[in-house]
Amino acid sequence: MELSLEAYSLIVQHIETRADLCTLCMVSKGFRKAAERALYRTLDVDEPTTTMLLCNVLAEQPRLPPLVTALTISLNNEEGRTDDGSNTEEQDATFSSPPGYWTSVSKALRRTARLRSLTILLDSGAPTNHAWILDRCNFQLHTFHCDFAWDAHLVSFLCTQYELTDLRISDFNEDTPETVSISTHSLRQAHTLSNLSILDCTFTEAVGVLVPGRPVTHVKTCFSSSSTEAKRAELALLLANLRLSTQPVYSLTIADASYTSAFSSELLSSLVKALGPAPRLRYVGPLVLPVDGRERLVFYGQLARLRELRSTELDVSEWEPPPASFSALRGLAREIHLYVPSVTTLVFVRDLEPTVLRAADGLWRAADDVVADTVWRVV
């Protein structure tokens, strides 16, 4: 007895493991069609042999690539792991992919025409000059995260992605000749990456190329300078480029190798001056929460000028004794909310360990279901 496609799909929704879905594929043609959709819609692979096997299947079975809408490929150096999960320096330097690995990935990508999300993560020490695998791909991504080097292949690929809204890149080189092809020729409307709204790149120079003339609202980047004077100059240029976005900036994350409460206050002051009398920022961080009571009140006053602020990340590593308990963090959250009532989510960081608190019904509770590193994306 044959069921409707909707009935098969409804049954498949209640299957919890991929192994059971594979078994279901062998029951009947109807179940195979529904089960394969569930199996191949979102793929996440990290072991090199498994990745190559999957990519070969996608290259050789024409019915399967159109089912793939999200693909994450991680190249991990499992053999080079130490007991604590890190890599040794010697193995970092020698780590490379198996023969034929990137060719297999390339062949698979050229067949996944309906792919909308692509993430390529590379372990430390892995060669990053493989953006050539994106040549001749005909999908239109909405989300693209990759650890490839910024080169002519990557730039050429990005120039074809008209629907891309979320971009995370680990490398950027303004001196690459091809970069000019992705630069904005009109500050009113960019011709390439015209729908980009989220940009995550360590290099602030990327903001100057990828934000002007585009509707970018969420930015994550990092100071490349260590001295205060150099950071001031870098911050001024960064804010000037953010003002050239065609949409208000809602979220700004600026990592720093050396966080200080003094520079955090200076950063807040610069933000308000650069983004106008009524900044639309809903998230800003990371910032250092001052220990001194008077300095903290000044800090709260600057935060309060961001009237639409919903969340922020605050480093409390300098505090002695540290606010380690939940009660201590909840007390700080209440104090902050008293001066900045618009804030409903707080990320406290102590020695690189984050704790997320969220206000609900007048109470601050631990938000264990929230990933701290994604808070800036969802405001």
Side-chain angles (χ1 to χ4, degrees):
M1 175 182 175
E2 286 294 321
L3 304 177
S4 65
L5 179 59
E6 291 76 10
Y8 285 122
S9 299
L10 185 61
I11 294 171
V12 166
Q13 288 177 13
H14 292 82
I15 305 299
E16 297 182 355
T17 67
R18 299 184 74 85
D20 288 340
L21 286 172
C22 291
T23 301
L24 203 58
C25 288
M26 297 182 286
V27 172
S28 69
K29 290 183 178 179
F31 272 118
R32 186 185 73 177
K33 188 173 183 179
E36 284 183 343
R37 284 187 176 184
L39 272 172
Y40 288 93
R41 182 182 300 115
T42 300
L43 298 173
D44 189 338
V45 287
D46 56 10
E47 201 279 320
T49 303
T50 303
T51 301
M52 293 178 68
L53 179 62
L54 171 65
C55 289
N56 290 337
V57 169
L58 292 176
E60 296 168 3
Q61 299 292 332
R63 75 176 187 281
L64 298 179
L67 305 179
V68 183
T69 59
L71 175 61
T72 296
I73 296 175
S74 304
L75 182 57
N76 298 324
N77 184 13
E78 296 297 340
E79 295 182 358
R81 299 290 186 194
T82 58
D83 292 338
D84 64 359
S86 61
N87 292 347
T88 63
E89 291 184 7
E90 179 182 354
Q91 285 158 333
D92 271 349
T94 59
F95 174 48
S96 61
S97 56
Y101 179 89
W102 291 113
T103 299
S104 297
V105 175
S106 175
K107 290 180 179 179
L109 289 179
R110 290 174 187 174
R111 288 163 174 77
T112 53
R114 297 180 182 176
L115 195 64
R116 294 296 175 263
S117 175
L118 176 60
T119 300
I120 299 177
L121 305 175
L122 305 179
D123 240 5
S124 175
T128 60
N129 58 338
H130 294 290
W132 58 267
I133 68 170
L134 302 170
D135 295 349
R136 294 190 288 161
C137 290
N138 57 6
F139 45 70
Q140 285 292 316
L141 298 177
H142 296 165
T143 301
F144 180 48
H145 298 177
C146 87
D147 290 336
F148 287 144
W150 181 269
D151 61 12
H153 296 284
L154 183 56
V155 174
S156 297
F157 169 74
L158 291 175
C159 286
T160 68
Q161 297 302 297
Y162 304 107
E163 297 180 15
L164 189 67
T165 60
D166 183 344
L167 174 63
R168 186 192 70 77
I169 49 177
S170 297
D171 186 36
F172 182 80
N173 186 352
E174 196 172 12
D175 295 329
T176 300
E178 289 77 13
T179 300
V180 68
S181 64
I182 208 170
S183 299
T184 306
H185 300 290
S186 169
L187 295 182
R188 294 184 177 181
Q189 180 61 55
H191 297 295
T192 56
L193 299 177
S194 56
N195 290 303
L196 187 65
S197 60
I198 300 176
L199 174 62
D200 181 351
C201 181
T202 305
F203 300 90
T204 57
E205 294 88 350
V207 175
V209 172
L210 297 173
V211 168
R214 298 183 174 96
V216 178
T217 56
H218 293 61
V219 172
K220 182 177 182 180
T221 187
C222 179
F223 285 116
S224 60
S225 310
S226 56
S227 70
T228 300
E229 287 301 320
K231 281 195 292 188
R232 284 174 181 153
E234 191 173 358
L235 176 62
L237 182 58
L238 172 66
L239 295 177
N241 286 322
L242 289 176
R243 293 182 62 184
L244 299 178
S245 171
T246 60
Q247 293 293 322
V249 177
Y250 294 137
S251 177
L252 178 59
T253 301
I254 313 178
D256 193 346
S258 56
Y259 296 105
T260 65
S261 57
F263 192 76
S264 290
S265 296
E266 191 172 327
L267 187 151
L268 281 176
S269 178
S270 298
L271 276 176
V272 174
K273 292 178 181 177
L275 301 181
R280 303 289 299 277
L281 274 176
R282 300 170 185 171
Y283 174 92
V284 63
L287 302 169
V288 176
L289 186 63
V291 179
D292 180 77
R294 292 184 178 180
E295 291 181 7
R296 203 156 65 250
L297 287 177
V298 173
F299 178 83
Y300 292 155
Q302 293 171 325
L303 270 185
R305 297 177 69 182
L306 304 175
R307 299 184 182 278
E308 296 189 24
L309 194 68
R310 299 291 179 267
S311 57
T312 184
E313 179 178 321
L314 300 171
D315 193 300
V316 292
S317 301
E318 293 182 353
W319 285 56
E320 192 63 44
S325 67
F326 173 73
S327 297
L329 293 178
R330 184 170 58 184
L332 276 178
R334 288 172 175 170
E335 179 181 282
I336 294 167
H337 192 260
L338 180 65
Y339 294 97
V340 194
S342 62
V343 171
T344 56
T345 302
L346 290 168
V347 182
F348 291 104
V349 178
R350 184 172 69 90
D351 297 330
L352 303 181
E353 289 296 325
T355 301
V356 184
L357 272 66
R358 177 169 285 172
D361 301 323
L363 298 175
W364 285 91
R365 298 183 174 91
D368 297 329
D369 59 325
V370 177
V371 179
D373 194 45
T374 65
V375 172
W376 71 279
R377 286 178 166 271
V378 297
V379 293

